[in-house]
Amino acid sequence: GLELSVNNQAADFSLSTMAGPSLSLSCLVQNSSQDEELHWYRGSGKVDLKEGNKVNISHICVSPVTESDNGVAFTCRLARDKSIQVSVTLDVQFPPQLTGEESLHIEEEKDVTMSCNAKSNPQAQTAWYKDNELLTLKPNHYQLYQTSEVFQLSITKVQKSDNGTYTCEATSPLGKGRKDFHLIVEDKKPPFPKEAIIAAVVVVTVTIIFGIVARKDKIFKVW
C-alpha cells in the first residue's frame, strides 16, 4: 500500500551528523495512485513549505545544523492521513564548548563553587586540575557535581592554601575544551562590631536628649 520514505528510509530512524554543515531531508510518496500532499514538522511545530514543494515529493534543509538540533525529530506526514508518516531523529555530534577564564575573589572560610558547561555529544570525560596538576580531592573539602551538561567543583571553607588556578577540562573523541578559574582567597574580614555601634547610637541619642532639655526654655519661648 501507500507509504512514505525519508532519505530512502520507510521507517523511523536516527541520523548521525556533525554540527555545522547543512543537512537535506527528502520525503517521497510511494505506491500512490493519486497526487498526495505532504507536511513537514520539526518536533510538534509545522514547517512552512513553498507551493511547489508539497506534492508527492518534498525537501527541507536544516542549515546550519547546531547542537540545539540534537535529539530533535523531523517528521514527514501525509496530509489526508496523519497516521502515515516517517520521523528522523537527529544525532548531532559536537565537541565540548569550554573556553575562557574567570577570576573569583572569595573571603577566607567562605564556600565557593566553580561551574563549567561541559555539554558535548558524545559525552565528554571531565577532570579538574589545580595549577596544571590533576586535583587531589580532599574529603569534606572538595565536592564534585556532574550531569550530562554541567561539571562543578565546590570548595568548603576556603583557605589561603586554596589560592591558585583551577582548570575544568572536558575531552571527547571530537576534541577538548578547557576553562580556567583564578581563585584569589582574601583575608577574613573582622566581625561587625555590633556592640560598639549600639553604644555609639545610645551616646548620640542621650546627647540629643540632653541638648533638647537644656534648650527647652528657649524652644518654649519661640512657640
Side-chain angles (χ1 to χ4, degrees):
L2 187 149
E3 65 178 13
L4 303 181
S5 65
V6 173
N7 289 18
N8 298 319
Q9 301 286 334
D12 296 347
F13 66 103
S14 177
L15 180 61
S16 293
T17 184
M18 297 293 295
S22 61
L23 175 68
S24 294
L25 300 175
S26 297
C27 183
L28 177 66
V29 178
Q30 297 177 326
N31 306 324
S32 176
S33 60
Q34 65 183 52
D35 287 342
E36 299 286 357
E37 183 179 349
L38 298 172
H39 293 165
W40 275 102
Y41 294 84
R42 184 188 190 277
S44 59
K46 191 175 181 180
V47 178
D48 291 330
L49 300 173
K50 294 182 179 180
E51 285 302 321
N53 189 28
K54 293 182 178 180
V55 179
N56 295 334
I57 185 169
S58 181
H59 309 277
I60 62 171
C61 182
V62 183
S63 179
V65 179
T66 67
E67 61 183 65
S68 64
D69 295 314
N70 185 45
V72 173
F74 288 84
T75 303
C76 180
R77 184 176 294 161
L78 200 66
R80 69 178 177 88
D81 186 350
K82 296 182 179 180
S83 67
I84 301 177
Q85 64 177 37
V86 176
S87 293
V88 51
T89 301
L90 299 189
D91 176 27
V92 182
Q93 300 191 353
F94 54 93
Q97 304 294 325
L98 293 178
T99 56
E101 57 184 327
E102 188 176 335
S103 292
L104 301 173
H105 295 258
I106 188 73
E107 186 180 330
E108 194 174 8
E109 295 190 7
K110 292 289 183 68
D111 299 341
V112 65
T113 296
M114 293 165 274
S115 182
C116 291
N117 178 3
K119 186 177 180 181
S120 66
N121 184 30
Q123 187 170 345
Q125 298 295 318
T126 50
W128 280 97
Y129 294 82
K130 181 185 179 186
D131 298 329
N132 295 319
E133 293 186 2
L134 188 64
L135 183 64
T136 301
L137 298 179
K138 300 176 184 177
N140 302 321
H141 190 57
Y142 296 123
Q143 290 83 38
L144 294 180
Y145 172 80
Q146 185 172 6
T147 67
S148 60
E149 298 185 8
V150 177
F151 189 38
Q152 290 182 339
L153 171 67
S154 295
I155 306 177
T156 303
K157 294 184 178 180
V158 296
Q159 304 298 321
K160 288 291 186 178
S161 58
D162 293 317
N163 269 312
T165 298
Y166 293 79
T167 303
C168 173
E169 182 178 274
T171 305
S172 82
L174 300 180
K176 179 184 295 185
R178 292 168 62 93
K179 182 176 180 180
D180 289 336
F181 296 84
H182 305 293
L183 182 63
I184 301 168
V185 181
E186 300 176 340
D187 292 334
K188 185 178 180 180
K189 296 176 182 178
F192 196 70
K194 293 182 181 179
E195 294 79 4
I197 296 297
I198 293 172
V201 170
V202 170
V203 170
V204 171
T205 303
V206 171
T207 302
I208 293 173
I209 292 173
F210 278 125
I212 292 173
V213 171
R215 300 180 62 192
K216 65 179 181 179
D217 292 339
K218 186 175 181 179
I219 292 173
F220 289 149
K221 287 178 181 178
V222 172
W223 286 99

